[in-house]
Amino acid sequence: MLTFPYSTLRASSILLDIFGQTVASGLTNTGQQQRVNATGGGLWTLQLEFPQFNTANQLRAWRVIQYGGADGVVPINIAICDIRQAPRPFGEYVNTSVTHSDGSSFSDGSLYSSALISANLTANAAVRATTISVAFGNGSVPLGGEFFSLRYNGGLNEIHVITNVVETATGYNLTIVPPLRAAHVTGETLNFDHPTGTFVLAGPGSMSMATVMGKRGTGTASFVEYIPE
Amino acid sequence: MNLDAAIQAQIDGSLIRASYLLYVDSTPPVRAWTGVGPIQVAPWGQDATGGRYLGIGLLGGVPALAQLVNGTAARLDMSLSGVDSRIIDLAAGGSDDIRMKPVSVGLVFMGEDWQPLSTPLCVFVGDSDVIRFSSQSSANGERSREITLSVGSVLTGRRRPNYSYWTRASQRALSSGDAFCDRVAGYNVDSELKWPP
């Protein structure tokens, strides 16, 4: 299992999509068309583009994933940069324990704070469920369209997107896509800060990097979601 | 076949959510479906207990199902691409376990929540017979392996007689008064027949 070096390799272009086998019958004279989707929810695909690597660390990190991924054999946890769309708390901040580098606080005694998202399941969710019950802390409000992830099978991660939000007495009922890959229990944490999915390289040659003078490089990578046996 | 009302309503619409199920009545049984990830399926067809079906996702394919047309009995070749060498070894080692076992193909319709709308429909029943393997390399060094399970329907080979021997016992079993093969035991490769005997 590898972890994509999110902080070292920042993709300039992220294309996260659900691939499905949809068969269309063709358009009739009346404009009607029937489609058949046979995937049971679809499979994530991910394409990343990196216009330029400038540091030796970036080149080395890329090689670790490219060769360590073994043409799609080794699973890789990849976090998706989606901070702007995450359900950040409004005006409420937590994690107020960070000081200046010398250990001091601000003049009023306060410390650094960050708007971490707190979200937990409030009910058990079965495998292949498409609706989950979630309670948010710190005033976060989901609007739909946010990515999040859940951990399962130890170190694997399944990533989902919210497609519908219904407020309840205890939180929210979220409709998600694709269906859950595993069963989850009450209290599990939803990761909105760094939504992470477990992928594998789409195949041989799906991750490549060209270097200039051995110093700078550009790279592209394609992945598909990893589904354990 | 009477379709459930929910299935009828979906068929009348513009989007159909349906996946194929494959069940092989071997020991242990093989349960697979054309979706992604595992799915729990209720009893249907020859799968008397139902169970957890393994998603073969985008790598598996179910061929077109044909009815008996002009006396030609259809045979299904179901293939699974992208398998690794371990799966090939397992399939080769256990091919006897799956040969001549009943095979069912079902169709499960799903709602917007991607849960089964009703009990799956059994659309094909046959017997597995031949497993084939193929492995090909491409120019970029990629090697693709494929397993194909050939399944015959109840009409496949219906005009083909059972195997038998040209012996007295076999011939008398077919027709008790037939003495055509009574002297077979006395013949061998170097026998020279004298005529008249």
Side-chain angles (χ1 to χ4, degrees), chain A residues 34-35 37-39 128 229, chain B residues 11 13-14 16 86 114-115:
Chain A
Q34 197 170 47
R35 293 176 181 274
N37 189 325
T39 59
R128 290 195 55 74
E229 294 179 7
Chain B
I11 292 175
S14 59
I16 295 174
R86 186 175 60 89
W114 288 110
Q115 306 299 323

Side-chain angles (χ1 to χ4, degrees), chain B residues 20-34 41-54 56 62 76 78 98 100-107 120-128 149 151:
Chain B
Y20 283 106
L21 304 174
L22 172 68
Y23 175 75
V24 182
D25 194 13
S26 57
T27 305
V30 175
R31 294 185 174 96
W33 74 299
T34 56
V41 176
W44 65 281
Q46 295 178 322
D47 188 357
T49 61
R52 186 175 184 267
Y53 279 65
L54 181 67
I56 52 178
V62 175
L76 292 184
M78 283 176 276
I98 209 170
M100 299 311 296
K101 294 293 189 296
V103 175
S104 302
V105 176
L107 191 59
L121 310 173
C122 186
V123 296
F124 180 86
V125 174
D127 291 313
S128 62
L149 175 64
V151 180

Side-chain angles (χ1 to χ4, degrees), chain B residues 27-109:
Chain B
T27 305
V30 175
R31 294 185 174 96
W33 74 299
T34 56
V36 176
I39 185 174
Q40 192 72 24
V41 176
W44 65 281
Q46 295 178 322
D47 188 357
T49 61
R52 186 175 184 267
Y53 279 65
L54 181 67
I56 52 178
L58 312 177
L59 299 177
V62 175
L65 303 175
Q67 295 179 335
L68 181 64
V69 178
N70 296 331
T72 302
R75 168 177 290 277
L76 292 184
D77 283 341
M78 283 176 276
S79 300
L80 180 62
S81 301
V83 296
D84 58 22
S85 59
R86 186 175 60 89
I87 300 296
I88 293 280
D89 292 340
L90 287 172
S95 58
D96 287 342
D97 299 334
I98 209 170
R99 192 165 291 150
M100 299 311 296
K101 294 293 189 296
V103 175
S104 302
V105 176
L107 191 59
V108 57
F109 286 84

Side-chain angles (χ1 to χ4, degrees), chain A residues 33-105:
Chain A
Q33 187 178 40
Q34 197 170 47
R35 293 176 181 274
V36 178
N37 189 325
T39 59
L43 189 74
W44 284 111
T45 62
L46 174 64
Q47 293 181 39
L48 303 176
E49 289 187 8
F50 303 82
Q52 188 161 357
F53 302 128
N54 292 314
T55 69
N57 279 343
Q58 287 179 320
L59 296 183
R60 283 192 288 260
W62 180 274
R63 290 171 186 164
V64 168
I65 300 299
Q66 178 178 348
Y67 300 114
D71 291 343
V73 176
V74 177
I76 307 166
N77 280 325
I78 304 176
I80 307 300
C81 180
D82 195 51
I83 294 173
R84 286 191 65 208
Q85 287 67 242
R88 293 278 160 203
F90 291 106
E92 297 184 35
Y93 297 92
V94 293
N95 192 22
T96 57
S97 60
V98 180
T99 65
H100 292 303
S101 59
D102 61 357
S104 63
S105 64

Side-chain angles (χ1 to χ4, degrees), chain B residues 88-184:
Chain B
I88 293 280
D89 292 340
L90 287 172
S95 58
D96 287 342
D97 299 334
I98 209 170
R99 192 165 291 150
M100 299 311 296
K101 294 293 189 296
V103 175
S104 302
V105 176
L107 191 59
V108 57
F109 286 84
M110 299 188 181
E112 291 185 11
D113 57 356
W114 288 110
Q115 306 299 323
L117 280 179
S118 68
T119 303
L121 310 173
C122 186
V123 296
F124 180 86
V125 174
D127 291 313
S128 62
D129 47 18
V130 179
I131 298 177
R132 296 192 300 272
F133 311 98
S134 66
S135 179
Q136 293 181 329
S137 295
S138 60
N140 64 358
E142 183 178 10
R143 176 171 290 276
S144 63
R145 301 181 178 89
E146 185 176 85
I147 297 177
T148 301
L149 175 64
S150 186
V151 180
S153 68
V154 292
L155 300 172
T156 303
R158 67 195 187 284
R159 289 187 300 181
R160 188 184 303 156
N162 293 329
Y163 288 118
S164 64
Y165 296 99
W166 294 105
T167 63
R168 179 184 186 279
S170 295
Q171 196 63 24
R172 292 280 180 173
L174 291 173
S175 179
S176 59
D178 190 347
F180 181 76
C181 294
D182 280 3
R183 295 170 62 85
V184 167

